Amino acid sequence: MTDYIQFIEKVKNKTGIDLSLYKEAQMKRRLTSLYEKRGYDNFSDYYTAIHNDAKLLEEFLDRMTINVSEFYRNAQRWEVLEKKIFPKLLNENKKLKIWSAACSTGEEPYSLAMVLSSHVPLKDISILATDLDSGVIERAKVGLYADRSLKEVPRKIVEQYFINEGQHYQVKDSIKQTVQFKQHNLLNDSYGSGFDLIVCRNVMIYFTEEAKDQIYESFSKALRPGGILFVGSTEQIFNPSKYGFESEETFFYRKK
Ligand SMILES: C[S@@+](CC[C@H](N)C(=O)[O-])C[C@H]1O[C@@H](n2cnc3c(N)ncnc32)[C@H](O)[C@@H]1O
């Protein structure tokens, strides 16, 4: 068994996270550069270190999860969501059940609330937002962002829903109250059901084909018939009908 394969097994036993479902070359490269930076020579010694040192374990989890995000990421897609997808969904259902899966530091679920607020009063909006990494969830709940993560946000929305604090922007409580954050592992935990909209963007790229297959299958089951899956702008599904989806708009799939 290689050093990396043994590492994967030990990490799975310790944390429940299965690194074998993430693309190997990419993950190995990320983790090798991290352990070298910390002065270790191989995965075996590095495992002993993270096993005994909570801070190193936290740093490892932080590195493997890749948390970059921003508000209105790929802004044109959010316009399609606002102008085409939400009106259709709201026609079918007045109160939407929405899940932002792998939400990172909260930009995505908060963007959803902001966009949906052009159709529905905030008091009627409720969004579930989940991520594997409890650290990012805590940051999401605080809702404080550097100005660069707002570069795609329309001016009107910035004025309406953020409080400027110098180089940082604080999301207003009225938006925060629409989102419930929870820890959830897409590869392990059970999925809910009856969702009108599931947003899962910029995480599938890290998974193996086998893992993606399993996740799309689970998303399909979790959506109501007619519900929509919104994916990232490099994450087109090549065979949507395999999972009971049809293409609705580019990067939006409707469950048949
Ligand atoms: C690059 S961020 C994407 C954030 C946001 N969806 C976006 O598009 O801007 C990827 C997120 O996936 C999360 N993640 C990685 N593996 C996961 C898993 N197995 N289950 C749930 N979330 C996971 C990471 O913690 C990270 O926050």
Side-chain angles (χ1 to χ4, degrees), residues 5-250:
I5 305 274
Q6 281 177 355
F7 180 76
I8 286 180
E9 288 217 335
K10 288 188 260 184
V11 167
K12 191 172 174 190
N13 288 336
K14 185 170 175 67
T15 67
I17 294 169
D18 188 353
L19 290 173
S20 73
L21 296 172
Y22 292 76
K23 284 182 190 152
E24 180 171 329
Q26 202 181 26
M27 185 59 78
K28 234 168 137 173
R29 211 178 318 118
R30 292 182 71 75
L31 297 178
T32 304
S33 76
L34 177 63
Y35 77 56
E36 285 176 352
K37 197 168 105 190
R38 291 283 163 260
Y40 300 97
D41 294 328
N42 52 51
F43 278 107
S44 173
D45 291 350
Y46 183 55
Y47 179 77
T48 309
I50 61 175
H51 182 66
N52 293 319
D53 182 334
K55 273 230 154 340
L56 283 179
L57 176 64
E58 201 180 300
E59 183 185 54
F60 154 73
L61 291 172
D62 200 39
R63 174 59 68 97
M64 64 125 320
T65 53
I66 313 159
N67 302 128
V68 267
S69 191
E70 63 181 271
F71 289 90
Y72 290 63
R73 189 169 187 174
N74 315 111
Q76 282 178 343
R77 298 293 100 209
W78 290 83
E79 218 176 301
V80 173
L81 179 70
E82 177 170 5
K83 304 270 159 57
K84 296 191 173 164
I85 305 290
F86 273 144
K88 259 195 194 170
L89 288 175
L90 286 163
N91 232 347
E92 295 158 16
N93 223 341
K94 285 283 155 275
K95 180 123 176 53
L96 301 182
K97 190 168 172 185
I98 301 175
W99 177 20
S100 163
C103 67
S104 189
T105 33
E107 293 89 333
E108 183 176 280
Y110 291 143
S111 300
L112 283 166
M114 290 169 194
V115 168
L116 184 54
S117 76
S118 70
H119 298 287
V120 173
L122 284 180
K123 67 170 180 41
D124 294 335
I125 298 178
S126 168
I127 295 164
L128 170 67
T130 63
D131 200 281
L132 172 68
D133 181 343
S134 56
V136 289
I137 292 178
E138 289 316 307
R139 283 165 56 196
K141 287 181 184 164
V142 173
L144 188 66
Y145 300 94
D147 48 9
R148 66 176 175 279
S149 59
L150 275 75
K151 66 181 192 309
E152 300 281 8
V153 183
R155 192 72 349 242
K156 194 178 120 241
I157 296 287
V158 175
E159 281 159 17
Q160 200 173 355
Y161 293 131
F162 291 88
I163 300 162
N164 181 216
E165 296 175 357
Q167 300 279 305
H168 287 82
Y169 285 82
Q170 172 70 57
V171 174
K172 285 193 183 167
D173 283 347
S174 57
I175 288 290
K176 280 178 151 182
Q177 281 155 8
T178 65
V179 181
Q180 291 76 51
F181 289 99
K182 261 176 49 184
Q183 190 178 15
H184 178 273
N185 184 350
L186 286 165
L187 298 167
N188 243 352
D189 296 335
S190 62
Y191 290 34
S193 61
F195 287 99
D196 297 280
L197 175 67
I198 297 175
V199 181
C200 184
R201 309 185 73 220
N202 305 301
V203 63
M204 298 301 266
I205 37 169
Y206 303 115
F207 295 136
T208 62
E209 290 307 312
E210 175 204 352
K212 279 188 214 174
D213 220 48
Q214 180 193 315
I215 293 173
Y216 288 138
E217 201 64 67
S218 305
F219 280 151
S220 180
K221 288 201 188 105
L223 283 164
R224 66 160 173 86
I228 296 279
L229 174 66
F230 177 17
V231 302
S233 290
T234 56
E235 296 174 319
Q236 208 141 9
I237 305 177
F238 291 108
N239 188 4
S241 59
K242 180 175 174 198
Y243 311 102
F245 291 125
E246 59 194 1
S247 185
E248 173 76 11
E249 294 279 344
T250 320

